[in-house]
Amino acid sequence: MWAHEAEVRLAEVQVKGQSLDAVQPAFSVTEIGRDDLREQPRQEVESLWSKVPGMHIHHYQLSGVANGLVLRGFGGGGHGGDVAATLDGIPLNEATSHADGYFDLNVVVPLELDKVNVYRGPVSVLQGNYNRAGLVELRTRRSGSYTDVDVSTGSHGLWDTQAALGRELKGGDQLNLAAQHSRGDGARPSSGYERSTLGGHWKHHVHEKLDISLSGRWHEARGDSPGYLTEAQWRQDPQGKDGHVVGDGANKHFGTLRLDAQYALGGETRLLGFVYATQQDFVRWFTRPRSGTWMQREERYDRSVLGAGLNLNGKTALAARELNWMLGLEQVRESTDYGYWDGLVNRQRMAAALDDRNTRLNNTALYGQGNWQATDWLQTTAELRWDRFDGSCRLLGTETGGDECSRMQGRNQASPKLGALAQINPQTAVRASWSQGFALPSDFAKYALRNSDLSANIFRQIELGVQWKPSSQWLLDASVYRITSSQEIRNTAPGEYENLGATLRKGAELQLHWLPGRAWHLEWAYGLNRSEVTQNANAALLGQRVVAVPEYTSTLHARWMPRSDITVHGVLRHVGRSPINTSNTEWAASYHWIDLGLQYRLPASVARNASLNLWLRNAADTRYASTTTLIGGQRLVAPGAPRSLQLGLQFSL
């Protein structure tokens, strides 16, 4: 990575695992770069996920609340714990927050991102718990001199402003700043929102072998929510609001601070030390059917996280072949004050708390990865992660619920992973991998003494993939996978759980790029999933599919450039039907929508790197349900966004 020993300069302080980018081809990893990020106005990072084969968002249309994320046959990411997420190495998953493993990407400014890696399946060694369906790894810009601005406005009161600044300072120092303010009224009644984010990174070059950096982030958001509609209400008024929903919404404050130090030990070996802290508060009010009526609940989370670690990486020779390696140690301590009330009236509490407690979860992890170029055509990868968890729970006030609250039994878990990439010829590369992930008992099951003998839920994935580039006009990447889960954890009685259950997930994913002519670029992302319950205490569920996972997803993106300064876009999204109950007797319907866009690159004499963007979202004004679910025995719908117009201006100073 460095030109020669005499001139050791670190271009940027890396985050953990960044040095191993070169080994990613052994696994299925979708990389989204800065060009993809700036191709169209993006107010939210999750708008990128339709570019990833098999990845899908269940939009709940609830302001300030994370949406559900589907990947590799798992339907509980984002709003739950099936997908891990990190920002510059800082974990975003919330251990004892809403739906164990919840994460919110609204704390990220899209314009500040340098790259996003989506690891498909439990293949990354960088995260343990929550890394079942995969890992979303976000990296911000940490080098270069730039001033970028992105402003967009549109239907329903949309106004979004983003700015990103980078400066190379004297003495090898670096400064990067980013900010976003976004607001809108929403297409439905009581769906307005407003959020602001500020992030910064400063690197100081101490001497030729040592760099230090300090980064921080502050985010605050508030929003009102119109809630779900019954299916009958939705068919009558697709953008309406149920009269039972009064005062729903969410408020959030989020802050992080991180200090890194990177030292060049010699040759190509570097030592990275880091410490970080996160502080956040989040409150949500949500009305839904319960006990024959509609009831509003309140959930509050005051969360603090302290993490620290070391990362040692370098290159050496093994049998005269290059070995790229990394070793890591990290400890994370997370504390959450949690309160839960039900039966509210317009945010006014009418009864004592069901839950009012503090939970702590501590995680110590050791991990390592090696990538060896065994021959000119064969690259092998071996990874191992070991996690140790313990924690505690204590009451903060009187509770009327039945969840236990005591010390968490210590748990150890090892997660091995193996991969290989074979370059068959200059046009064809074949990859194969085997990886293991796990899931701890969720929520308060971890803190019940009677559940101390519960084992983690184990996931094992086998994957085969091929990348084929027959010419400069074609690029195809395809993979098939098979994921088995065992020791699934089920609730047998209030506060009691056992390990009983298994599920098989299998599927195929395809990414295709085709340049049929100089003016055309076609891109297709497709994912097919089939799941099957193979062991369950209820024999009627055997053979049934996993809830909330579409049978397939497809995104076709066509770009036409009639002139060098004009690009016409068309994006067609298809989503297959998905079961919404475990018996598979109720299904969410399939749907599709189309976006149309026009991009005009302004002359350099007007502004540098400037473009005007006009997008017509859901151009056909298709009526669809972005989420269909069952709550309290009722079939409820989150309406998909109606047709809207968006105008954006991007430029650099």
Side-chain angles (χ1 to χ4, degrees):
M1 185 166 291
W2 301 324
H4 48 78
E5 179 72 16
E7 185 181 353
V8 178
R9 291 294 299 272
L10 306 177
E12 60 181 273
V13 176
Q14 297 184 344
V15 297
K16 68 177 184 180
Q18 186 173 340
S19 63
L20 292 173
D21 284 355
V23 309
Q24 289 181 0
F27 306 106
S28 287
V29 182
T30 300
E31 179 180 315
I32 301 173
R34 202 178 305 165
D35 290 342
D36 297 303
L37 292 162
R38 298 204 67 188
E39 185 177 49
Q40 57 178 287
R42 300 187 186 277
Q43 290 77 53
E44 299 171 337
V45 174
E46 66 181 23
S47 65
L48 296 164
W49 301 153
S50 62
K51 300 174 70 67
V52 181
M55 204 169 187
H56 176 63
I57 295 292
H58 285 298
H59 287 276
Y60 299 139
Q61 312 296 346
L62 303 176
S63 301
V65 176
N67 292 313
L69 178 60
V70 176
L71 185 63
R72 287 270 157 126
F74 292 83
H79 205 74
D82 283 342
V83 176
T86 63
L87 175 62
D88 290 333
I90 297 177
L92 294 178
N93 296 87
E94 302 174 18
T96 319
S97 189
H98 179 76
D100 193 38
Y102 176 102
F103 66 85
D104 179 9
L105 294 183
N106 283 324
V107 303
V108 183
V109 180
L111 193 60
E112 72 176 319
L113 290 173
D114 182 57
K115 184 166 67 170
V116 178
N117 290 325
V118 179
Y119 296 76
R120 289 177 268 151
V123 298
S124 173
V125 76
L126 301 179
Q127 291 295 310
N129 196 24
Y130 315 126
N131 184 22
R132 310 156 200 170
L135 166 67
V136 173
E137 182 192 19
L138 303 108
R139 298 182 190 169
T140 60
R141 300 159 75 170
R142 295 194 161 211
S143 61
S145 291
Y146 55 87
T147 304
D148 295 334
V149 179
D150 190 328
V151 180
S152 57
T153 186
S155 305
H156 314 301
L158 170 67
W159 184 265
D160 182 85
T161 303
Q162 301 177 46
L165 179 144
R167 290 292 184 270
E168 296 177 347
L169 307 176
K170 292 182 179 180
D173 287 11
Q174 175 73 36
L175 178 67
N176 300 88
L177 299 171
Q180 180 183 22
H181 180 74
S182 186
R183 67 164 308 279
D185 300 324
R188 300 172 63 196
S190 303
S191 58
Y193 68 90
E194 187 169 7
R195 66 177 186 270
S196 301
T197 307
L198 178 65
H201 165 258
W202 171 68
K203 184 205 75 172
H204 177 54
H205 184 66
V206 180
H207 60 72
E208 64 177 11
K209 290 191 175 184
L210 176 64
D211 280 9
I212 61 173
S213 71
L214 180 67
S215 55
R217 177 174 306 275
W218 177 254
H219 168 85
E220 57 183 53
R222 59 156 299 277
D224 298 322
S225 295
Y228 291 133
L229 296 172
T230 66
E231 196 162 46
Q233 290 171 330
W234 171 65
R235 294 190 184 282
Q236 182 178 3
D237 182 3
Q239 299 300 324
K241 177 186 173 186
D242 190 290
H244 295 97
V245 179
V246 180
D248 279 14
N251 296 328
K252 181 171 185 174
H253 298 88
F254 175 93
T256 64
L257 191 65
R258 175 175 174 129
L259 176 66
D260 293 84
Q262 183 172 265
Y263 187 78
L265 297 175
E268 299 195 50
T269 304
R270 290 163 299 184
L271 177 65
L272 171 68
F274 54 90
V275 59
Y276 59 85
T278 299
Q279 188 72 42
Q280 78 171 57
D281 59 77
F282 174 58
V283 57
R284 176 197 184 194
W285 297 273
F286 175 56
T287 301
R288 78 287 187 215
R290 184 176 174 86
S291 303
T293 184
W294 286 60
M295 298 175 66
Q296 186 183 64
R297 75 184 190 215
E298 175 186 343
E299 299 163 90
R300 284 186 176 270
Y301 309 90
D302 291 327
R303 172 176 173 261
S304 60
V305 181
L306 182 63
L310 295 170
N311 199 259
L312 183 67
N313 59 76
K315 294 180 182 178
T316 188
L318 177 63
R321 294 284 181 173
E322 184 177 89
L323 174 68
N324 190 322
W325 56 271
M326 180 269 289
L327 298 173
L329 166 66
E330 185 170 2
Q331 185 172 75
V332 181
R333 295 180 176 271
E334 185 166 351
S335 173
T336 304
D337 290 345
Y338 170 64
Y340 181 94
W341 295 263
D342 211 346
L344 282 76
V345 177
N346 195 11
R347 302 191 181 185
Q348 298 298 312
R349 299 171 188 167
M350 309 302 291
L354 292 169
D355 292 299
D356 187 9
R357 57 183 57 191
N358 170 269
T359 58
R360 295 178 181 270
L361 183 66
N362 306 317
N363 176 209
T364 300
L366 295 170
Y367 50 89
Q369 178 171 333
N371 170 249
W372 183 42
Q373 193 69 43
T375 68
D376 291 339
W377 57 272
L378 179 63
Q379 173 183 290
T380 59
T381 299
E383 305 178 356
L384 179 63
R385 181 182 174 97
W386 177 85
D387 286 278
R388 165 74 178 178
F389 296 92
D390 60 56
S392 62
C393 178
R394 61 183 177 87
L395 299 183
L396 299 175
T398 302
E399 294 188 348
T400 60
D403 294 317
E404 285 195 37
C405 183
S406 58
R407 182 179 58 86
M408 175 185 168
Q409 185 75 19
R411 303 172 185 274
N412 302 325
Q413 188 65 49
S415 304
K417 309 161 197 298
L418 299 170
L421 175 72
Q423 192 72 44
I424 304 301
N425 56 48
Q427 294 79 34
T428 309
V430 178
R431 62 184 182 273
S433 66
W434 176 92
S435 56
Q436 179 173 300
F438 68 94
L440 292 178
S442 64
D443 299 322
F444 300 124
K446 296 188 286 289
Y447 302 101
L449 287 177
R450 64 180 117 173
N451 298 323
S452 59
D453 59 344
L454 277 179
S455 300
N457 185 190
I458 303 299
F459 304 92
R460 295 184 174 92
Q461 173 180 277
I462 298 175
E463 181 192 55
L464 297 174
V466 60
Q467 188 172 100
W468 182 49
K469 190 176 181 180
S471 70
S472 59
Q473 285 77 42
W474 287 90
L475 174 61
L476 181 147
D477 188 279
S479 60
V480 294
Y481 63 87
R482 184 179 190 271
I483 302 175
T484 58
S485 68
S486 60
Q487 301 174 183
E488 293 180 355
I489 300 166
R490 76 181 190 108
N491 187 206
T492 57
E496 295 186 4
Y497 299 81
E498 69 175 3
N499 289 111
L500 179 63
T503 303
L504 171 65
R505 295 171 172 88
K506 54 187 177 180
E509 296 164 346
L510 175 68
Q511 185 89 51
L512 175 67
H513 292 267
W514 179 36
L515 305 175
R518 294 175 60 89
W520 285 91
H521 177 194
L522 299 180
E523 179 182 358
W524 185 35
Y526 179 81
L528 176 69
N529 175 263
R530 293 291 181 268
S531 58
E532 179 184 354
V533 176
T534 56
Q535 182 187 25
N536 195 280
N538 183 356
L541 299 184
L542 296 179
Q544 304 299 336
R545 296 187 178 185
V546 175
V547 171
V549 178
E551 293 179 325
Y552 69 89
T553 60
S554 171
T555 303
L556 179 63
H557 187 169
R559 304 168 181 87
W560 176 48
M561 295 184 64
R563 295 181 356 194
S564 61
D565 57 349
I566 293 179
T567 305
V568 180
H569 296 266
V571 181
L572 177 62
R573 175 73 169 174
H574 280 272
V575 178
R577 66 174 193 153
S578 58
I580 61 174
N581 63 349
T582 56
S583 60
N584 291 184
T585 57
E586 298 276 352
W587 288 72
S590 61
Y591 63 87
H592 65 273
W593 48 255
I594 185 169
D595 287 350
L596 300 176
L598 177 65
Q599 184 179 46
Y600 172 59
R601 189 173 183 86
L602 296 173
S605 58
V606 175
R608 187 167 61 90
N609 295 329
S611 62
L612 279 171
N613 296 272
L614 180 65
W615 280 84
L616 187 62
R617 308 293 186 184
N618 190 6
D621 202 20
T622 302
R623 177 186 296 192
Y624 68 97
S626 57
T627 296
T628 304
T629 186
L630 287 173
I631 301 179
Q634 293 196 46
R635 188 177 171 108
L636 303 180
V637 166
R643 180 166 52 213
S644 62
L645 190 66
Q646 184 177 345
L647 176 65
L649 172 64
Q650 300 171 317
F651 60 93
S652 299
L653 299 176

